[in-house]
């Protein structure tokens, strides 16, 4: 393997798609190329690519020319040619399930209905690559998702999208220099999201009893001290585990990142507090300030 980093912005080729919601990945790649004076060449290995140095890292910026649903063909070809390691890959794609104004980095995971990501998973044979999900929100009314993603941003949404493109490019730079964990802590969330007021009371007793009953299904995953022995393989069990772990936080109390990690370390034995912290944040069990300085737990309904 080499020390190349591959940053893939997903989208569709052609002028008619340039300003569509589906092409935010292309626009993030273009912004990075602009910042570092990198030029995209002609299509090779099914992608337009620009190579050079970003933050002292050897980087390939790529925009697959296969159309969104076949993006994996280009990514596979680039990975093989440049011998890129999986943890040196970052894919930037639009996401309908995240509101406009929000970016969310993850170290791995499913496709979440994004066909470009789905095809990349198929061609790489694994979901274990970094991705930056660029929220575009859900279509209004009865508009079909296909029409929505292939439509342009308009008015205030267009202004906000441009701001998020800058934020996403910043997040990529942080990933290159300081790694995925710090990039997630620093950049995941809405660009102007105010800190909500933490709840002042813990979960009601009736709710806690209901949850305790649900936790019975985790018995085989817990040691005698109630610590999670391993991360469940089934998503249904993972969600129960997340609710179990979130119950260890106090409502109305703020935590630093090190506090969160310390508490999670008290309730699991497999040594991956970062994974658990990310999952709790991604599924809304933990909230945090935009700069990642403080976290807090807000009681909510079950996530499973």
């Amino acid at each position: 393997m080499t020390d190349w980093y591959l940053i893939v912005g997903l989208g569709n080729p052609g002028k008619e798609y340039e300003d569509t919601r589906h092409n935010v990945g292309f626009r993030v790649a273009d912004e990075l190329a602009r910042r570092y004076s990198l030029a995209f060449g002609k299509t090779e290995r099914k992608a337009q690519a620009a190579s050079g140095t970003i933050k002292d890292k050897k980087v390939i910026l790529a925009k697959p020319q296969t159309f969104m649903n076949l993006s994996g063909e280009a990514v596979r070809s680039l990975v093989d040619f440049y011998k890129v390691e999986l943890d040196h890959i970052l894919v930037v794609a639009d996401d309908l399930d995240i509101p406009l104004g929000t970016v969310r980095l993850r170290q791995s995971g499913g496709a979440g209905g994004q066909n470009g990501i789905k095809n990349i998973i198929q061609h790489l044979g694994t979901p274990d690559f970094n991705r930056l999900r660029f929220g575009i929100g859900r279509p209004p009314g009865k508009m079909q998702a296909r029409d929505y993603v292939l439509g342009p941003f308009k008015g205030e949404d267009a202004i906000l999208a441009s701001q998020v493109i800058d934020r996403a490019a910043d997040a990529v730079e942080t990933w290159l220099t300081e790694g995925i964990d710090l990039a997630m802590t620093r950049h995941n969330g809405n660009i102007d999201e105010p800190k909500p007021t933490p709840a002042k009371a813990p979960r009601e007793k009736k709710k806690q009893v209901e949850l305790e009953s649900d936790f019975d299904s985790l018995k085989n995953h817990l040691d005698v001290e109630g610590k999670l022995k391993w991360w469940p393989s089934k998503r249904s069990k993972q969600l129960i585990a997340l609710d179990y772990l979130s119950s260890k936080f106090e409502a109305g109390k703020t935590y630093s990142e090190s506090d969160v990690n310390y508490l999670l370390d008290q309730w699991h034995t497999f040594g991956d507090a970062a994974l658990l912290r990310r999952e709790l944040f991604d599924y809304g069990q933990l909230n945090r300030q935009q700069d990642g300085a403080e976290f807090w737990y807000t009681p909510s309904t079950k996530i499973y």
Side-chain angles (χ1 to χ4, degrees):
M1 293 295 180
T2 66
D3 55 357
W4 282 104
Y5 286 78
L6 175 61
I7 299 162
V8 183
L10 298 190
N12 289 313
K15 285 190 174 297
E16 64 269 36
Y17 298 109
E18 281 183 358
D19 296 321
T20 64
R21 296 177 180 88
H22 227 14
N23 271 41
V24 292
F26 275 19
R27 292 178 65 184
V28 173
D30 287 337
E31 171 60 19
L32 287 163
R34 183 196 66 79
R35 291 184 184 187
Y36 294 93
S37 300
L38 304 180
F40 286 97
K42 63 181 181 180
T43 299
E44 295 182 13
R45 286 171 282 282
K46 300 185 178 182
Q48 285 188 342
S51 61
T53 301
I54 297 179
K55 300 292 185 179
D56 296 323
K57 305 290 187 182
K58 292 170 58 179
V59 169
I60 305 130
L61 300 175
K63 298 189 292 185
Q65 300 296 292
T66 55
F67 287 90
M68 179 68 75
N69 293 359
L70 298 176
S71 298
E73 295 179 4
V75 174
R76 176 82 260 181
S77 180
L78 289 163
V79 167
D80 289 345
F81 184 82
Y82 288 98
K83 297 179 171 53
V84 182
E85 298 181 30
L86 282 175
D87 63 353
H88 282 195
I89 300 171
L90 177 64
V91 178
V92 183
D94 63 296
D95 195 307
L96 284 163
D97 293 322
I98 299 175
L100 178 62
T102 299
V103 297
R104 190 165 293 169
L105 292 112
R106 295 197 70 180
Q107 198 165 11
S108 65
Q114 219 287 350
N115 288 329
I117 296 288
K118 180 180 179 181
N119 194 251
I120 293 171
I121 292 172
Q122 291 172 347
H123 280 271
L124 293 182
T126 177
D128 296 331
F129 55 87
N130 304 294
R131 70 282 308 269
L132 186 154
R133 298 152 66 192
F134 187 119
I136 61 172
R138 301 297 302 181
K142 296 183 179 180
M143 179 183 285
Q144 295 296 310
R146 183 182 185 280
D147 295 332
Y148 180 71
V149 300
L150 294 180
F153 293 106
K154 296 180 180 179
E156 292 183 358
D157 282 357
I159 296 171
L160 180 55
S162 294
Q163 294 171 346
V164 182
I165 286 164
D166 285 339
R167 165 78 168 275
D170 292 344
V172 174
E173 292 176 344
T174 302
W175 169 70
L176 283 169
T177 57
E178 302 184 74
I180 189 68
D181 285 339
L182 187 56
M184 289 190 297
T185 298
R186 187 173 296 170
H187 299 286
N188 278 7
N190 192 287
I191 62 172
D192 57 357
E193 183 178 60
K195 179 178 176 180
T197 303
K200 298 183 182 300
R203 298 183 180 190
E204 296 178 0
K205 186 175 181 180
K206 181 178 179 181
K207 179 68 174 177
Q208 189 64 38
V209 171
E210 178 189 351
L211 290 174
E212 290 295 344
S213 175
D214 286 327
F215 294 159
D216 286 343
S217 63
L218 280 180
K219 281 182 178 178
N220 292 336
H221 296 76
L222 304 176
D223 67 13
V224 294
E225 296 179 333
K227 296 181 180 181
L228 198 62
K229 294 186 290 186
W230 58 78
W231 187 232
S233 58
K234 293 184 178 179
R235 195 58 182 160
S236 59
K237 283 288 195 299
Q238 290 176 4
L239 297 180
I240 296 172
L242 290 175
D243 210 61
Y244 175 76
L245 292 170
S246 72
S247 71
K248 309 304 179 184
F249 291 83
E250 295 179 29
K253 178 179 178 179
T254 57
Y255 300 80
S256 67
E257 181 177 327
S258 60
D259 290 335
V260 172
N261 291 342
Y262 177 80
L263 191 152
L264 291 173
D265 282 339
Q266 308 311 302
W267 292 102
H268 83 289
T269 63
F270 51 90
D272 201 346
L275 165 70
L276 300 177
R277 188 185 70 248
R278 289 195 302 269
E279 291 284 338
L280 286 166
F281 176 72
D282 277 351
Y283 282 87
Q285 301 299 85
L286 282 183
N287 295 290
R288 64 162 178 75
Q289 286 183 325
Q290 184 174 322
D291 63 2
E294 289 185 347
F295 291 74
W296 62 96
Y297 161 66
T298 303
S300 61
T301 57
K302 292 183 294 187
I303 57 175
Y304 52 93

